[in-house]
Amino acid sequence: MKISAQEEYGLRCILQLARKGAGEIGTISEIAGKEGLSVEYTGKLMMLLRHAHLVESLRGKNGGYVLGAVPEEISLGQVMRALSKPLFLEETCDDYPGQVAECVHRRECSIRPVWVTIGTLFNGMLDNLCLADLFDNEAAVASKVRQRLLLEMCPVH
Amino acid sequence: MKISAQEEYGLRCILQLARKGAGEIGTISEIAGKEGLSVEYTGKLMMLLRHAHLVESLRGKNGGYVLGAVPEEISLGQVMRALSKPLFLEETCDDYPGQVAECVHRRECSIRPVWVTIGTLFNGMLDNLCLADLFDNEAAVASKVRQRLLLEMCPVH
DNA sequence: TCAAATCCGGACAACTTTGTCAAGTTTACC
DNA sequence: GGTAAACTTGACAAAGTTGTCCGGATTTGA
C-alpha cells in the first residue's frame, strides 16, 4: 500500500502552480526546476492534469500552464483521480479475484469491509481538502486532515 | 494508491488458516483451492508469512501450516508488514526525492502532513485490528474498523 | 517569413511487481 | 528402504510502472 510516483509528483506539480497568483502562468521547465523533476516527466504529469481539466495549457512562446480553477475549488480527490485511475478503490475484490471467475468471497468477505471502510473515509477526506488547504504550515495541514477525516466519520446530519 | 496483490492475497491466506481450529493444519493446496490461487503462488505468500513468524510450517507428509499465535494475537498490521515492506510509509518524501539530492520540500512540505497523518492513523488502526476481528460479518467488521480508527484519532489518555 | 520558446504525445528502455516453473528437501508410512 | 505428500527456493517470464527521448505542433515577436 503506497502512494504512486505519479500521484505524489503530480500533486506536487499542481501545488506549485496553485501557489502562484491567480491566472499567473507557470512553465513546465519552471515547475520541473522547482520540484527537481525532469522536464519530460513533468510535461507528462501536467498532461494528465490537463486531461482532467484541472489545469489549462497555453501553447506557443510565452505559454505554460494556469490552474483551471481557484485553489479553493480544486480538491485533492480530483487531483488524485486525475493521476491514478482507481484511487484506493473500493473494488479490491473485483481487482483481485484469484483464478476463480467470481471472487471466492463474493457472498461474505470479511476483508472487504476493511478496505471499503478505509477507502470511503480516505476518499471523502481527500474530497474535503483543497489545494488552498495545503498552503498552510505542516502542523496546520495535519490538523486539517484529521478534522476532515473526522467529518467523514461522524457526518453532521 | 492501492492495496498490492501480495497484501490482499497474503491476508486472505492467513485468514483461511486463522479460521481453522487452534493448532489445526492447513496445506498450501487446501488454501490455494479455497482462495482460487495457484499452489505455487500460495506457497510463495505463505513463505512471506512464515519469514515474519506469523505462521509455522511443518514439512514432510501430513505437513502444512499452522498459525504462529492465536488469531486474537496477530494484528492486521503485522500481517501487512510481512507482506509489503514499507506499509503506506511515512517516508514518501524520502522515497520520491526527485532528481535533487535532498527533497525540495525538506524544510516545509505541505503534502507530507497529509500522507503522514493518514499513514499514522491507518497503521494504528491496523495494529488495533486482529485476525479474530475479521471472523464477524461484513457490517460488524466495518463498524469495528471505524471504532479502531476513531480510537487512533482520539486516544483516551 | 523565420527563429525561439513552449506544449504534445507516442515509442521505448529500465525497473518493479506478479505469478509460474522446476528442481530440490523433509517427513510419514508401508 | 521406497514412495508419496508436503514444504523450499531460486530462476524466470509476463505485466505494469516509471521516466526518457524525440519528432512534431503552436504561438510570439522580430
Side-chain angles (χ1 to χ4, degrees):
Chain A
M1 165 115 47
K2 59 186 294 196
I3 314 271
S4 75
Q6 239 175 57
E7 291 167 329
E8 170 71 15
Y9 290 142
L11 175 54
R12 289 189 198 172
C13 287
I14 197 173
L15 199 51
Q16 284 292 350
L17 210 51
R19 288 205 189 94
K20 302 178 86 74
E24 200 179 338
I25 292 178
T27 67
I28 289 181
S29 47
E30 176 193 351
I31 297 171
K34 283 186 179 170
E35 287 298 336
L37 300 174
S38 76
V39 171
E40 295 82 3
Y41 191 32
T42 305
K44 192 175 189 173
L45 296 171
M46 295 310 293
M47 190 187 59
L48 291 172
L49 294 169
R50 182 173 63 87
H51 286 162
H53 307 293
L54 299 179
V55 301
E56 285 170 13
S57 72
L58 304 166
R59 300 184 69 168
K61 189 168 179 181
N62 301 334
Y65 286 93
V66 292
L67 223 51
V70 292
E72 287 75 15
E73 287 178 355
I74 298 179
S75 74
L76 295 196
Q78 287 178 286
V79 175
M80 296 297 274
R81 281 188 288 276
L83 295 167
S84 65
K85 306 306 153 47
L87 179 57
F88 211 130
L89 73 162
E90 308 178 12
E91 298 84 8
T92 306
C93 277
D94 297 337
D95 268 27
Y96 302 130
Q99 292 181 324
V100 177
E102 290 221 359
C103 174
V104 189
H105 303 280
R106 186 118 174 69
R107 294 196 184 177
E108 258 298 313
C109 172
S110 53
I111 299 178
R112 184 169 43 192
V114 180
W115 302 151
V116 169
T117 304
I118 294 172
T120 303
L121 295 174
F122 183 76
N123 288 332
M125 182 205 60
L126 288 183
D127 284 335
N128 279 300
L129 281 170
C130 65
L131 291 182
D133 287 328
L134 299 192
F135 291 166
D136 235 324
N137 64 50
E138 287 207 14
V141 174
S143 156
K144 238 173 231 177
V145 171
R146 283 171 171 266
Q147 174 198 317
R148 301 304 154 84
L149 189 50
L150 210 48
L151 188 70
E152 279 305 307
M153 295 181 70
C154 318
V156 182
H157 290 300
Chain B
M1 166 117 45
K2 60 186 293 195
I3 314 270
S4 74
Q6 239 175 59
E7 290 167 330
E8 170 71 16
Y9 290 142
L11 175 54
R12 288 189 198 174
C13 287
I14 198 174
L15 199 51
Q16 284 293 350
L17 210 51
R19 287 204 189 94
K20 302 178 86 74
E24 200 179 337
I25 291 178
T27 67
I28 287 181
S29 46
E30 177 193 352
I31 296 172
K34 284 187 180 169
E35 286 299 335
L37 300 173
S38 75
V39 171
E40 295 82 4
Y41 190 33
T42 305
K44 194 175 189 173
L45 295 171
M46 294 311 291
M47 188 188 61
L48 292 173
L49 295 169
R50 181 173 63 87
H51 286 162
H53 307 293
L54 298 180
V55 302
E56 284 171 14
S57 72
L58 304 166
R59 301 185 67 167
K61 189 166 177 179
N62 300 335
Y65 286 94
V66 292
L67 221 51
V70 293
E72 286 75 14
E73 286 179 353
I74 297 179
S75 74
L76 295 196
Q78 286 178 288
V79 175
M80 296 298 273
R81 281 188 287 276
L83 296 167
S84 65
K85 306 307 153 45
L87 179 58
F88 212 133
L89 74 162
E90 308 178 12
E91 297 84 7
T92 306
C93 277
D94 297 337
D95 269 26
Y96 301 130
Q99 292 181 326
V100 176
E102 290 221 0
C103 174
V104 189
H105 303 280
R106 187 119 174 69
R107 294 197 184 175
E108 258 300 313
C109 172
S110 53
I111 298 178
R112 184 169 43 192
V114 180
W115 303 148
V116 170
T117 304
I118 294 172
T120 304
L121 294 173
F122 183 76
N123 288 332
M125 182 205 60
L126 288 183
D127 284 335
N128 279 300
L129 282 169
C130 64
L131 291 181
D133 287 328
L134 300 192
F135 292 166
D136 235 323
N137 65 51
E138 287 207 12
V141 174
S143 154
K144 238 173 231 176
V145 171
R146 283 171 170 267
Q147 174 198 318
R148 300 305 154 85
L149 190 49
L150 209 48
L151 189 70
E152 278 305 308
M153 294 179 71
C154 318
V156 182
H157 289 300

